[in-house]
Amino acid sequence: MRRVKTVMIGVGCISKIYLKNITETFKEIDLIGVCDLIRERAEKACEEFGVPRIYETMHDAFADPEVELVLNLTRPYEHFGVSKAALEAGKHVYCEKPLGADLAEGKYLLKLAQEKGLMLGGAPDTFLGAGIQTCRRLIDDGFIGTPVGSAAFMLTSGVESWHPEPEFYYKRGGGPMLDMGPYYLTAMINLMGSIDRVVGISRASFPQRTVTSQPFFGQVIDVEVDTYVAGTVQYSSGAIGTIHTTFDAKYPGEKRRFIEIYGSEGTLFVPDPNTFGGPVQLYRPEDGVLRDVPLMYEYKENSRALGLADMAKSIANGREARCDVQQTYHVLEVMEGFATSSKTHSWVEIESEYHRAPAMVPPRLKGILD
């Protein structure tokens, strides 16, 4: 088993679960160093998780000939610059979502990776978890018949009440669609297939947000992105899907809906695509009731870095990565399509091609992929 030498750029809020899973679960990643603009964050990661090196700058990391794979955990509007520099240095890149802050950035990175012969891809990897992989199995095995439609809902009142650094959610690269849309859309295309065209409408409901979380309690954020985005998609199969994402809804948690898939013979209720587990529920008219479906795959808990481990396996074995750029770019094009449609009041054709990667294979040993 070859372990792929990896460096983490950005040691912010989401890094801890990556560090935990990389060092405790996924055996094929060798995290040899970290880098952050705030050195204390990098020092804490090294101390807590036994990472051997701190790089003063990302360019120091990219110049290290040992580094094969870069994990880009910077803020959304920084994704492009970090991924670009890593690719130019000859490194494979796995980036947190989204691929870029807009389609032009994504297109540039896609072309650069192709020219360099490097792997590029990234989050979300939640669709590789037990919940959505079980849903895919049910659909592929015909439990709801022919899929005819889907509906997705991401409804919250915003992040400023709980996130310690919420401002970037309301700046370029943020907003409910670019932040949470990748989870939902990635799940949707993995269950339903590629998207051919979209139409959308969006707005910023409130010009400012007041932070009620610590340590920035009371800070007022000027909103620079749309915070309510609704869209309709037409899949290549002809099926129709809808998606609502908003930071503007007062919505009770016990009534949450996530993704529903409608078929000719039944309906599938998909779990939260921001998680790796369940519950999964199936409705068929002959039953007359919702039935809970046991999860049929591994990785039910928070398994962030699963996609990174899959890419490491791809680098080592020369196989297709399940979280590759053709997926992250397709999702980015769909999200920008909603914004373009809202401005032009028209359908937007999706030009990128997408094919579903192979389904997950239950591991013989947890942490070692197929």
Side-chain angles (χ1 to χ4, degrees), residues 31 47 89 130-131 134 149 153 165 170 250 253 256 273 329 353 362 366:
L31 185 64
E47 180 180 353
T134 295
F153 311 89
E165 298 178 5
Y170 298 98
K250 305 297 187 286
R256 288 290 298 275
Y329 183 80
E353 295 183 358
K366 187 175 180 180

Side-chain angles (χ1 to χ4, degrees), residues 73-94:
L73 298 186
T74 58
R75 290 169 291 190
Y77 58 84
E78 297 170 325
H79 286 176
F80 174 75
V82 174
S83 294
K84 176 176 177 288
L87 290 168
E88 288 174 338
K91 311 301 183 184
H92 305 287
V93 175
Y94 184 95

Side-chain angles (χ1 to χ4, degrees), residues 155-361:
L155 311 173
T156 79
S157 58
V159 300
E160 61 273 20
S161 65
W162 61 270
H163 197 282
E165 298 178 5
E167 185 173 12
F168 74 87
Y169 285 92
Y170 298 98
K171 304 301 180 182
R172 181 174 180 269
M177 182 57 74
L178 277 177
D179 177 55
M180 291 299 293
Y183 295 108
Y184 287 76
L185 289 164
T186 300
M188 287 163 61
I189 62 176
N190 271 274
L191 297 175
M192 298 285 289
S194 61
I195 292 170
D196 278 352
R197 61 178 185 150
V198 305
V199 65
I201 188 167
S202 64
R203 69 184 290 244
S205 302
F206 310 107
Q208 294 181 321
R209 318 285 289 221
T210 301
V211 179
T212 56
S213 62
Q214 296 294 343
F216 298 106
F217 182 88
Q219 176 181 329
V220 176
I221 300 171
D222 291 325
V223 175
E224 298 176 4
V225 294
D226 286 347
T227 52
Y228 199 122
V229 185
T232 298
V233 309
Q234 184 164 47
Y235 297 100
S236 300
S237 66
I240 295 170
T242 60
I243 180 170
H244 285 73
T245 67
T246 182
F247 288 159
D248 304 334
K250 305 297 187 286
Y251 199 79
E254 67 273 14
K255 295 292 185 181
R256 288 290 298 275
R257 303 164 69 191
F258 298 106
I259 300 175
E260 300 170 359
I261 307 293
Y262 312 120
S264 59
E265 298 177 27
T267 295
L268 185 62
F269 295 84
V270 180
D272 184 352
N274 191 26
T275 66
F276 290 79
V280 173
Q281 294 183 307
L282 175 66
Y283 174 79
R284 289 179 61 97
E286 61 268 28
D287 292 337
V289 295
L290 276 175
R291 295 195 180 276
D292 293 327
V293 179
L295 301 184
M296 295 180 274
Y297 291 84
E298 186 53 86
Y299 306 113
K300 304 176 181 67
E301 65 289 337
N302 189 339
S303 299
R304 278 178 171 80
L306 176 54
L308 178 71
D310 185 78
M311 181 174 283
K313 187 76 171 192
S314 301
I315 293 168
N317 286 16
R319 68 159 170 78
E320 176 184 9
R322 290 182 171 94
C323 294
D324 68 353
V325 69
Q326 61 97 25
Q327 176 170 279
T328 55
Y329 183 80
H330 191 68
V331 167
L332 182 60
E333 185 179 5
V334 168
M335 293 191 296
E336 181 151 309
F338 293 140
T340 300
S341 174
S342 184
K343 294 172 184 175
T344 62
H345 309 288
S346 61
W347 283 91
V348 174
E349 302 296 323
I350 302 301
E351 297 179 357
S352 59
E353 295 183 358
Y354 166 77
H355 67 272
R356 297 195 305 168
M360 290 290 283
V361 176

Side-chain angles (χ1 to χ4, degrees), residues 32-142:
I32 64 172
V34 295
C35 176
D36 194 276
L37 292 173
I38 302 173
R39 184 180 172 86
E40 290 78 9
R41 291 178 175 178
E43 291 173 347
K44 185 176 180 181
C46 290
E47 180 180 353
E48 186 172 354
F49 294 97
V51 183
R53 302 178 199 170
I54 295 176
Y55 295 95
E56 291 299 325
T57 72
M58 68 177 186
H59 300 290
D60 293 332
F62 302 158
D64 185 345
E66 280 195 74
V67 173
E68 301 173 82
L69 175 59
V70 171
L71 171 59
N72 182 356
L73 298 186
T74 58
R75 290 169 291 190
Y77 58 84
E78 297 170 325
H79 286 176
F80 174 75
V82 174
S83 294
K84 176 176 177 288
L87 290 168
E88 288 174 338
K91 311 301 183 184
H92 305 287
V93 175
Y94 184 95
C95 182
E96 251 301 331
K97 48 78 188 167
L99 173 64
D102 56 43
L103 193 61
E105 290 186 352
K107 187 174 293 187
Y108 185 98
L109 294 173
L110 171 62
K111 183 179 179 182
L112 180 59
Q114 290 173 338
E115 290 174 349
K116 294 279 190 177
L118 294 166
M119 286 193 184
L120 169 65
D125 55 1
T126 47
F127 75 98
L128 298 177
I132 293 172
Q133 287 293 305
T134 295
C135 292
R136 173 170 170 167
R137 175 80 170 270
L138 292 169
I139 293 171
D140 291 352
D141 288 352

